Amino acid sequence: MTGHAAEQHPHGADRLCEAGDRVYSRAVRRGRVPRRDAEPVPCLLDLALLHPDPDDMDWLVPTAPQEVMTRLLRGLYDEVSTSQRRVGSAVAAFEWYAGLGGRRPQAVAAEGSAIRVLDGLSRIQAAMDEATEACTNEVLSVQPGGIRPEHELTEGLHRALALRARGVRMRDLYTHVARHGQGLLTYLELMGGAVQARTLDEVIERLILFDRTVAFIPANADRTLALELRHPALVGYLGTVFERLWRLAIPLTAPLPDTGIEGISHREQSIAALLAEGHQDAVIAERLGISVRTCRAHIARLSETLGAASRTQLGVRIAQVGLDGPPRPEPTRLTLPDQGSRSGR
């Protein structure tokens, strides 16, 4: 909260300002309020009494009064020797709020605990830290993109070390491009046997799954919004997706399979398959975790190797040599046109 907002709203969730009381009460009665209604009362977002609706970010839904009361009591009981009267006030206040919506707050509580929107990096990191502390068995993660930036690896290192210290098993999925990042190799060496890593041509969006009970996924393109998922069906589904990708992935310590075609790398084979599907360069680059410039350089090498003088001809040659689909189980080494036949085209 900014200094100006703090001066206008110097309170906690147990003693809302008049404006905050009106907006929160309306949200509990109706189930949600437009985001613009909460702009004059930033205290409601700062105190996590309202949070974005996962189905429509222009609306805010209330945190269930029972959940707020539980959160308040957890902190207040630590100060019970000096805050006894405040505890009673908090209970009385949110029992009254709970009555405003009739039976609806129970449904809000169930939904709020199953899907929670985390707005801002600080809240995302705090929720991740909480899940890390509670984790006792395993962590599954999918890390899309290419070479992992140093700051991303450093930001999560304290969590990974804490998990390793408790004997928690970790499995990470990356794109093949991540194999070329020294930072990732250093991180895995530091973690020792606590982390297993595998790679694929392309993976799904970022996913972190703790003990098959809570999962985190991004909710916008720049990852400043995240969803915390605790619904057993959702978490179970994401766990199944991870296991199937893991089975298809290649261990980081193993080499990538040979394409079976002289002069064409595994990455160029992946690019060829996506070109055959009709994707533009920028889409291919994003899916494989490489820059558009690198993608175009590979396409140029494909054209040269396959003797294609145009994009249309490249598509034909990709199909002719069998690069327009998944790799063959037992690739047969093919003979490409020689320089003489290329020049005659």
Side-chain angles (χ1 to χ4, degrees):
M1 185 184 297
T2 65
H4 180 65
E7 290 173 5
Q8 290 183 325
H9 304 273
H11 56 73
D14 57 331
R15 53 188 191 282
L16 291 181
C17 60
E18 184 177 350
D21 177 89
R22 286 197 303 270
V23 175
Y24 183 74
S25 298
R26 191 184 315 139
V28 173
R29 287 193 188 97
R30 300 178 181 176
R32 63 178 190 169
V33 293
R35 184 183 285 269
R36 64 177 178 273
D37 287 5
E39 290 177 356
V41 281
C43 54
L44 296 181
L45 282 168
D46 290 336
L47 295 171
L49 297 181
L50 296 178
H51 55 273
D53 187 338
D55 296 325
D56 189 344
M57 293 299 177
D58 290 331
W59 290 79
L60 300 172
V61 296
T63 301
Q66 296 94 328
E67 182 180 341
V68 178
M69 184 173 64
T70 300
R71 190 173 64 210
L72 282 170
L73 291 177
R74 187 181 300 119
L76 292 175
Y77 279 138
D78 293 338
E79 307 167 357
V80 68
S81 60
T82 58
S83 306
Q84 195 68 42
R85 187 166 58 184
R86 188 178 175 189
V87 172
S89 174
V91 173
F94 281 93
E95 282 182 345
W96 182 79
Y97 284 127
L100 294 177
R103 298 178 64 181
R104 181 173 179 83
Q106 294 180 357
V108 173
E111 294 170 4
S113 60
I115 302 177
R116 186 161 66 112
V117 179
L118 304 172
D119 192 348
L121 295 178
S122 61
R123 288 179 181 162
I124 295 172
Q125 291 172 3
M128 294 276 290
D129 287 340
E130 182 179 345
T132 298
E133 292 176 6
C135 184
T136 59
N137 186 34
E138 70 171 359
V139 177
L140 311 176
S141 75
V142 178
Q143 304 291 348
I147 294 175
R148 296 291 307 284
E150 288 288 342
H151 72 271
E152 285 187 6
L153 294 166
T154 303
E155 189 278 324
L157 183 59
H158 69 285
R159 297 190 196 101
L161 291 173
L163 292 165
R164 186 188 69 171
R166 297 201 303 274
V168 174
R169 301 188 306 275
M170 290 167 270
R171 286 188 284 159
D172 298 341
L173 276 172
Y174 303 93
T175 61
H176 290 325
V177 178
R179 291 169 171 253
H180 304 291
Q182 184 57 46
L184 175 59
L185 300 178
T186 302
Y187 163 76
L188 294 174
E189 183 178 355
L190 177 64
M191 296 304 297
V195 176
Q196 296 180 56
R198 294 187 180 184
T199 63
L200 284 164
D201 286 322
E202 53 182 310
V203 295
I204 58 174
E205 235 324 336
R206 180 162 294 173
L207 165 68
I208 303 178
L209 183 58
F210 294 88
D211 280 344
R212 312 288 178 120
T213 59
V214 56
F216 295 89
I217 61 173
N220 63 352
D222 62 6
R223 296 174 181 162
T224 56
L225 279 178
L227 297 184
E228 178 184 296
L229 308 175
R230 292 184 179 271
H231 192 289
L234 283 173
V235 175
Y237 177 85
L238 292 173
T240 299
V241 169
F242 180 91
E243 292 295 352
R244 294 189 180 181
L245 290 175
W246 183 261
R247 181 175 59 83
L248 296 171
I250 300 171
L252 192 66
T253 54
L256 298 180
D258 183 72
T259 64
I261 303 176
E262 188 71 32
I264 294 181
S265 68
H266 186 93
R267 185 183 299 177
E268 288 163 356
Q269 181 181 39
S270 302
I271 290 173
L274 291 172
L275 282 172
E277 292 177 10
H279 296 295
Q280 298 298 315
D281 298 355
V283 174
I284 295 173
E286 181 181 2
R287 288 177 61 167
L288 298 183
I290 58 179
S291 69
V292 175
R293 181 177 179 179
T294 298
C295 179
R296 288 172 178 164
H298 282 296
I299 293 173
R301 281 196 289 272
L302 269 172
S303 297
E304 174 67 20
T305 303
L306 296 177
S310 67
R311 275 295 183 100
T312 301
Q313 194 175 49
L314 176 59
V316 173
R317 293 296 295 136
I318 285 172
Q320 287 177 342
V321 299
L323 288 174
D324 55 343
R328 296 166 179 166
E330 295 182 3
T332 302
R333 192 160 296 274
L334 302 176
T335 302
L336 299 175
D338 58 26
Q339 294 296 329
S341 61
R342 292 184 192 179
S343 60
R345 288 183 179 275

